[in-house]
Amino acid sequence: MEADKKKLALNIVSSKVNHKGFGAGAIDLSNISGIIIDGDEAYLDEGTLHAKSKIEKGIKFSTNKEDVPNGRKAWIIWVAVDRTEEGAYYAGMSACEMLIDTEARRGWKILAEHVNKMDGAMKRKFILDGLSDSERAALKKQLIAHNEEWWNRSDQALKDALS
């Protein structure tokens, strides 16, 4: 049964033909995925795009930090992947802070910030402000573990930001 489970993977740009008919102008999310940083652990979670990641499930979110006095800091890292002739690489990345109180089933996040940061990653920017050294190290470890070749082809700005 475990062998039948779908392996989590970062999406890469599809080779679909662009149409000018129905759906034209829609945002293509096929090249963006989310990584969760919870403490010193970073992991890929395909539920992030729909706010249904492992740590978000069952949490009632507020836009007021005071509603979550015992919340622990967690991050969604939006990761955009692109492809050149040499192969895929991590093209854009941005960090969005959340507070999660699993016991109280309460959380804090600003949805507009998450949307804007996702947009930044899709526009090939690296916005990793606020991450601690240990969180940066966990993210770097996860990116390399997921695909070292992608890491090696990535922009030096990303490598510098996570060093």
Side-chain angles (χ1 to χ4, degrees), residues 126-147:
F126 297 110
I127 309 167
L128 300 171
D129 304 333
L131 291 177
S132 69
D133 290 344
S134 63
E135 291 163 339
R136 288 174 191 271
L139 177 57
K140 179 180 177 179
K141 180 180 175 185
Q142 172 59 33
L143 293 170
I144 292 170
H146 181 75
N147 194 313

Side-chain angles (χ1 to χ4, degrees), residues 24-68:
I27 297 172
D28 181 6
L29 297 175
S30 65
N31 66 336
I32 193 142
S33 295
I35 292 176
I36 299 289
I37 298 178
D38 190 4
D40 291 335
E41 178 188 14
Y43 58 90
L44 183 63
D45 192 320
E46 60 186 28
T48 55
L49 282 175
H50 302 289
K52 298 194 183 300
S53 66
K54 184 173 92 173
I55 65 171
E56 292 174 288
K57 283 184 182 174
I59 301 294
K60 180 173 173 52
F61 283 96
S62 169
T63 57
N64 185 356
K65 272 189 174 182
E66 288 75 33
D67 292 344
V68 193

Side-chain angles (χ1 to χ4, degrees), residues 43-117:
Y43 58 90
L44 183 63
D45 192 320
E46 60 186 28
T48 55
L49 282 175
H50 302 289
K52 298 194 183 300
S53 66
K54 184 173 92 173
I55 65 171
E56 292 174 288
K57 283 184 182 174
I59 301 294
K60 180 173 173 52
F61 283 96
S62 169
T63 57
N64 185 356
K65 272 189 174 182
E66 288 75 33
D67 292 344
V68 193
N70 300 318
R72 71 184 186 279
K73 188 184 292 190
W75 297 86
I76 293 179
I77 310 299
W78 299 113
V79 180
V81 178
D82 210 341
R83 179 182 294 278
T84 64
E85 290 179 10
E86 292 80 35
Y89 65 99
Y90 301 116
M93 204 167 296
S94 60
C96 297
E97 183 181 0
M98 301 184 292
L99 293 178
I100 304 289
D101 184 341
T102 307
E103 191 173 304
R105 299 174 61 130
R106 301 283 296 162
W108 167 84
K109 70 178 176 180
I110 305 296
L111 184 58
E113 178 187 1
H114 283 249
V115 171
N116 290 335
K117 294 278 182 87

Side-chain angles (χ1 to χ4, degrees), residues 10-25:
L10 288 167
N11 296 324
I12 48 178
V13 177
S14 65
S15 59
K16 295 177 189 169
V17 176
N18 290 331
H19 299 276
K20 291 192 176 185
F22 179 78

